Amino acid sequence: MSVKKIAFILLTIAFIGCTHSQTQEQTSTTQPQEPVFAYGIRIDTFRIDTLTIQKGETLGGMLNRAGASAGQIAQVSLLKKEQFDTRNIQPGKTYCVLYPQHQQTDSVLTSVPAYLIYLPSIRETYIFDMRDSLIITHDVKPIRTEEHSAQAVIESSLWNAFTSQKLPIELVLRLSDIYAWTIDFFGLQKGDSVRVYYEMQYVDSTELGVGQVFAANFYHGGQWQEAFLYQPADSLQARFPDINGYFDGEGKSLRKAFLKAPLNYRRISSHFSYARKHPIFKTVRPHTGVDYAAPKGTPVVSIGDGTVIFKAYKGGGGNTVKIKHNATYTTAYLHLNGYAKDIQVGKHVKQGQVIGYVGSTGNSTGPHLDFRVWKNGTPVDPLKLQSPPATPVPDQLKNDFQQIVDDYRRHL
């Protein structure tokens, strides 16, 4: 394999991992080869092998398979965590081993490695110099950013709109998070559109992905919904810890707080537990909700804006309504006596809107509401629910906020 080919292998490790290389005789030439360097090493004087980290393998094990001497391996035990954190060893990753070889005959003089080069990520490089005492060089490449503006019109879906223009699909996910509380992404219509101002991150010429999304403007339901990323300067963050996120043009947060409870209740008759003795069956079973005791017919409201995804009689839960608030939170209201007018699957409901009435349907000993919350599909205690802050930009920051908004609008 030619010197240039070996150089190519080393220089592309950071992007595609080590590529297996076998020593071959170099093609004779009348012109002397120029020295080739990578990672500060003249690599054309070495044979290069590639190995894959096995499950459970240690740094010592990696060196042992590479043919390191007992003395080289022994030095590993002397390493400090700040020199190399062994948690960076990831099974399936590859590493390159450089073996010295004779400059004139190209014959291998020794099987003991001189260097081990390991890249746990596209940005990081660890070079283990084992020619004498073990020396580790850790290099982290800087992230370069570029700012971009884009727009897309929806014909079938937001995903297809971005794909057709070869825009980063990651932007779709980021926008769904930004607008999670204000736009129903399952209800987008043909003709809806979005403008977005964002940054892309790169290492050298390799694209890492989307960085910050600075601003967006979404047209849906016949109106535009602006979103601007705003965080006060470092010197002001201690005074305004809740001002960090996306706001509309007037400084109102795009996040909405949940109501503390979905009804006016008399008392909590049962708490969230994974080991509650069931009042009817007398067996210990999970109860991943809170029971609110209240008179039959007491109105039950949705704790936040969302879409009804279930409305039916469901076994022991009786008459049940389930609401998806965004990509993160879902709530359910059980044992209802009846449903509010116009509550149907697919219906969008507002925070505080009546969805049903307290009852005792299903397995129940008396009128109460069994209220449940899921976060990312996992049950959480409704009484410990950390409602997202919805603090608007305060008057003291309005001038600074307005300057940033004006600049972002120019980019959009």
Side-chain angles (χ1 to χ4, degrees), residues 261-265 267-270 287 289-295 298-303 317 319-321 332-337 355-360 364 366-372:
L263 76 170
N264 292 321
Y265 59 95
R267 62 186 175 87
I268 293 176
S269 56
S270 184
H287 179 254
V290 170
D291 287 348
Y292 293 97
T298 300
V300 175
V301 303
S302 174
I303 66 166
N319 293 327
T320 299
V321 171
Y333 311 77
L334 286 64
H335 305 299
L336 299 174
N337 184 61
I355 58 172
Y357 305 91
V358 170
S360 188
S364 172
H368 74 286
L369 174 72
D370 184 346
F371 176 57
R372 306 197 176 197

Side-chain angles (χ1 to χ4, degrees), residues 22-187:
Q22 299 291 340
T23 302
Q24 297 179 355
E25 293 185 3
Q26 296 181 9
T27 305
S28 61
T29 177
T30 57
Q31 298 296 328
Q33 292 281 3
E34 291 291 330
V36 181
F37 291 86
Y39 305 108
I41 304 168
R42 183 178 172 180
I43 61 171
D44 57 315
T45 63
F46 294 93
R47 173 173 62 88
I48 306 169
D49 278 355
T50 302
L51 298 171
T52 302
I53 299 175
Q54 305 299 312
K55 185 177 181 180
E57 192 167 36
T58 63
L59 180 57
M62 292 165 59
L63 292 172
N64 182 59
R65 282 203 298 128
S69 67
Q72 289 174 322
I73 297 174
Q75 293 184 67
V76 173
S77 61
L78 302 177
L79 289 178
K80 296 180 180 179
K81 187 176 181 179
E82 54 266 26
Q83 291 177 289
F84 181 77
D85 190 342
T86 55
R87 290 177 298 180
N88 283 325
I89 298 176
Q90 304 171 42
K93 293 278 187 178
T94 55
Y95 59 99
C96 287
V97 186
L98 279 60
Y99 301 90
Q101 59 186 18
H102 198 281
Q103 297 267 349
Q104 294 180 341
T105 65
D106 200 37
S107 62
V108 178
L109 293 176
T110 176
S111 61
V112 177
Y115 294 94
L116 183 149
I117 300 176
Y118 173 50
L119 293 94
S121 70
I122 193 172
R123 294 187 62 200
E124 287 189 282
T125 305
Y126 285 94
I127 301 174
F128 297 81
D129 184 346
M130 300 177 289
R131 293 173 298 173
D132 190 7
S133 59
L134 181 61
I135 299 175
I136 301 178
T137 303
H138 181 210
D139 179 57
V140 180
K141 291 185 177 182
I143 293 178
R144 175 176 59 86
T145 62
E146 292 181 3
E147 296 178 3
H148 297 270
S149 296
Q151 61 181 5
V153 178
I154 298 170
E155 294 295 329
S156 56
S157 70
L158 187 60
W159 185 283
N160 290 338
F162 274 60
T163 301
S164 65
Q165 297 194 49
K166 298 182 179 180
L167 295 173
I169 293 302
E170 186 183 350
L171 272 178
V172 176
L173 305 178
R174 300 287 288 277
L175 288 170
S176 67
D177 287 338
I178 292 169
Y179 287 105
W181 301 91
T182 54
I183 293 178
D184 178 10
F185 273 65
F186 293 99

Side-chain angles (χ1 to χ4, degrees), residues 147-382:
E147 296 178 3
H148 297 270
S149 296
Q151 61 181 5
V153 178
I154 298 170
E155 294 295 329
S156 56
S157 70
L158 187 60
W159 185 283
N160 290 338
F162 274 60
T163 301
S164 65
Q165 297 194 49
K166 298 182 179 180
L167 295 173
I169 293 302
E170 186 183 350
L171 272 178
V172 176
L173 305 178
R174 300 287 288 277
L175 288 170
S176 67
D177 287 338
I178 292 169
Y179 287 105
W181 301 91
T182 54
I183 293 178
D184 178 10
F185 273 65
F186 293 99
L188 296 180
Q189 302 293 322
K190 182 178 180 180
D192 288 351
S193 62
V194 62
R195 302 168 183 170
V196 59
Y197 171 48
Y198 64 101
E199 69 176 8
M200 291 296 297
Q201 296 182 335
Y202 301 85
V203 171
D204 295 330
S205 60
T206 300
E207 185 180 287
L208 282 184
V210 178
Q212 294 275 29
V213 176
F214 301 114
N217 200 0
F218 218 113
Y219 182 77
H220 173 65
Q223 60 184 3
W224 288 94
Q225 172 66 69
E226 294 179 312
F228 302 103
L229 178 63
Y230 180 64
Q231 182 180 38
D234 293 344
S235 59
L236 296 173
Q237 286 182 21
R239 291 177 54 196
F240 304 99
D242 290 339
I243 308 302
N244 180 14
Y246 290 90
F247 301 83
D248 65 16
E250 297 179 356
K252 297 177 182 177
S253 176
L254 265 64
R255 295 176 292 188
K256 296 185 179 181
F258 286 132
L259 298 177
K260 291 296 184 181
L263 76 170
N264 292 321
Y265 59 95
R266 290 180 175 176
R267 62 186 175 87
I268 293 176
S269 56
S270 184
H271 288 75
F272 184 98
S273 173
Y274 279 99
R276 182 191 73 157
K277 188 174 182 179
H278 196 280
I280 296 177
F281 302 108
K282 309 302 180 183
T283 56
V284 176
R285 59 178 66 179
H287 179 254
T288 53
V290 170
D291 287 348
Y292 293 97
K296 180 179 179 180
T298 300
V300 175
V301 303
S302 174
I303 66 166
D305 292 2
T307 301
V308 177
I309 60 173
F310 183 88
K311 174 206 166 188
Y313 190 93
K314 190 177 182 181
N319 293 327
T320 299
V321 171
K322 200 169 185 178
I323 297 173
K324 186 176 183 65
H325 299 281
N326 53 38
T328 304
Y329 292 101
T330 301
T331 56
Y333 311 77
L334 286 64
H335 305 299
L336 299 174
N337 184 61
Y339 309 104
K341 186 178 179 181
D342 296 331
I343 295 299
Q344 301 294 337
V345 172
K347 179 80 172 182
H348 183 76
V349 296
K350 293 289 187 180
Q351 183 183 68
Q353 181 177 337
V354 176
I355 58 172
Y357 305 91
V358 170
S360 188
T361 56
N363 297 328
S364 172
T365 57
H368 74 286
L369 174 72
D370 184 346
F371 176 57
R372 306 197 176 197
V373 179
W374 292 267
K375 182 178 181 181
N376 294 320
T378 301
V380 296
D381 187 345

